[in-house]
Amino acid sequence: MRERIRAFTHAFRRSNGWHKIGVTVGLVIVAFALTTLFRLLREIEIDKVIVALRLTSPYQILVAGGFVAASYVTLTFYDYFSLHTIGRRDVPFRVAALASFISYTIGHNLGATVFTAGAIRFRIYSAWGLCITDVVKIAFVTGLTFWLGNAFVLGAGLLWAPEAASAITQLPPWINRAIALGGLAIIAGYLLWLMAGPRTVGRGGWRVTLPCARLTLVQIGIGVLDLTAGALAMHALLPADPSIDFVTVQVIFVTAALLGFLSHAPGSLGVFEAAMLVALPQFQKEELLASLLIFRVLYFMLPFGAAVLLLSAREGWLAARVSARNACAAAAKDRQLS
């Protein structure tokens, strides 16, 4: 156990330089986002935002809530797929679903997802005999699922509507399309590489055998379903006028979500909203802000509250079991002494 902890610490130190670069990039994104958000919201009329919130139909909120629920259901398959990949098929889906939902939801809302989500995963999976090494492997495979899904959705979306992300990237459509082709080419090359035979990454106990090409398509599908459901929720909440096609919304949504993820801001707060406001200038700011506020409640706040309650209930149940077991042991000991 000590050797594994030492190896984990060594791996963390080796990656610390990349971590610092990531933090620096995140701070730059947050600074730009907050500056942009301040500029965009400077002339916002709060009364109009409140009116827009009241005019949002319950049907819109219900549909969006359904898509958010679908997104979080899809999210549970991230861990389940990862457990099968590392050979821990004995862990049931209900445990994988609980660990995935709680770790992702709390981790993303608090920030520092690698550490917060990792700690929660270890707390839940340790009851099933998983060690730190297994949790790191799960984090690697789930991260791969996330990035493959993002790369495919953005690649296909930008290829179809390259101008959709231009307001955010500040790049001409032809460069966006070139980036899309490059991303899709990398995915195709990765699949061809997997077809040659089993591929492994890492060393020693940290070695992970990557999913085969067929299972990688399933992996990509999980990421695509997750992102598509989230984008559908956002699309359902947008004002009806002017109309906007779903592919454009999906490209903008995924780009904004990626910026929020890279910023390391808790819940992508401020970064996601700024990107959406910049990319959708055709809507009145007050109406769009109302849609974004409702989306934040549905996609971030309510799941976060549910995750905290689930984790608290689990910890309370475990504590009660330990207390009951100790009480039984004490009673048995007293009977033996008497």
Side-chain angles (χ1 to χ4, degrees), residues 20-74:
K20 289 179 180 178
I21 294 174
V23 170
T24 302
V25 171
L27 290 174
V28 171
I29 292 174
V30 170
F32 273 109
L34 291 179
T35 303
T36 303
L37 198 61
F38 176 77
R39 177 175 56 81
L40 291 171
L41 300 183
R42 191 167 44 190
E43 299 176 358
I44 285 288
E45 298 181 34
I46 302 299
D47 291 343
K48 290 185 178 180
V49 176
I50 295 173
V51 170
L53 286 170
R54 291 175 176 173
L55 290 177
T56 304
S57 70
Y59 176 75
Q60 279 181 280
I61 297 174
L62 185 63
V63 170
F67 285 128
V68 168
S71 175
Y72 276 92
V73 169
T74 306

Side-chain angles (χ1 to χ4, degrees), residues 4 76-97 99 121-122 124-139 141 205 207-209 215:
R4 287 176 176 174
T76 63
F77 289 100
Y78 278 68
D79 274 39
Y80 192 60
F81 182 89
S82 300
L83 285 164
H84 279 239
T85 299
I86 67 170
R88 291 305 306 262
R89 297 170 181 264
D90 56 307
V91 180
F93 174 73
R94 57 182 174 80
V95 176
R121 276 199 182 102
F122 182 71
I124 295 175
Y125 287 137
S126 59
W128 287 84
L130 273 71
C131 61
I132 292 174
T133 308
D134 295 321
V135 172
V136 172
K137 289 179 181 179
I138 290 171
V141 179
R207 189 181 299 273
V208 177
T209 300
L215 288 177

Side-chain angles (χ1 to χ4, degrees), residues 32-235:
F32 273 109
L34 291 179
T35 303
T36 303
L37 198 61
F38 176 77
R39 177 175 56 81
L40 291 171
L41 300 183
R42 191 167 44 190
E43 299 176 358
I44 285 288
E45 298 181 34
I46 302 299
D47 291 343
K48 290 185 178 180
V49 176
I50 295 173
V51 170
L53 286 170
R54 291 175 176 173
L55 290 177
T56 304
S57 70
Y59 176 75
Q60 279 181 280
I61 297 174
L62 185 63
V63 170
F67 285 128
V68 168
S71 175
Y72 276 92
V73 169
T74 306
L75 195 66
T76 63
F77 289 100
Y78 278 68
D79 274 39
Y80 192 60
F81 182 89
S82 300
L83 285 164
H84 279 239
T85 299
I86 67 170
R88 291 305 306 262
R89 297 170 181 264
D90 56 307
V91 180
F93 174 73
R94 57 182 174 80
V95 176
L98 182 71
S100 185
F101 173 72
I102 294 178
S103 62
Y104 268 114
T105 306
I106 294 180
H108 189 48
N109 277 278
L110 294 183
T113 308
V114 172
F115 303 104
T116 51
I120 293 171
R121 276 199 182 102
F122 182 71
R123 175 64 179 164
I124 295 175
Y125 287 137
S126 59
W128 287 84
L130 273 71
C131 61
I132 292 174
T133 308
D134 295 321
V135 172
V136 172
K137 289 179 181 179
I138 290 171
F140 170 76
V141 179
T142 55
L144 187 60
T145 304
F146 172 80
W147 285 109
L148 283 172
N150 274 274
F152 183 84
V153 170
L154 263 184
L158 285 176
L159 196 62
W160 181 267
E163 68 286 344
S166 292
I168 300 177
T169 63
Q170 296 297 303
L171 297 172
W174 71 269
I175 294 183
N176 285 336
R177 180 165 280 158
I179 292 172
L181 288 170
L184 292 175
I186 290 173
I187 293 176
Y190 178 66
L191 290 170
L192 289 173
W193 179 65
L194 292 173
M195 287 180 181
R199 300 290 187 175
T200 59
V201 294
R203 297 178 181 177
W206 303 89
R207 189 181 299 273
V208 177
T209 300
L210 296 172
C212 65
R214 180 176 57 83
L215 288 177
T216 298
L217 291 175
V218 175
Q219 190 177 15
I220 293 172
I222 292 171
V224 170
L225 287 174
D226 172 32
L227 293 167
T228 301
L232 283 168
M234 187 71 253
H235 187 260

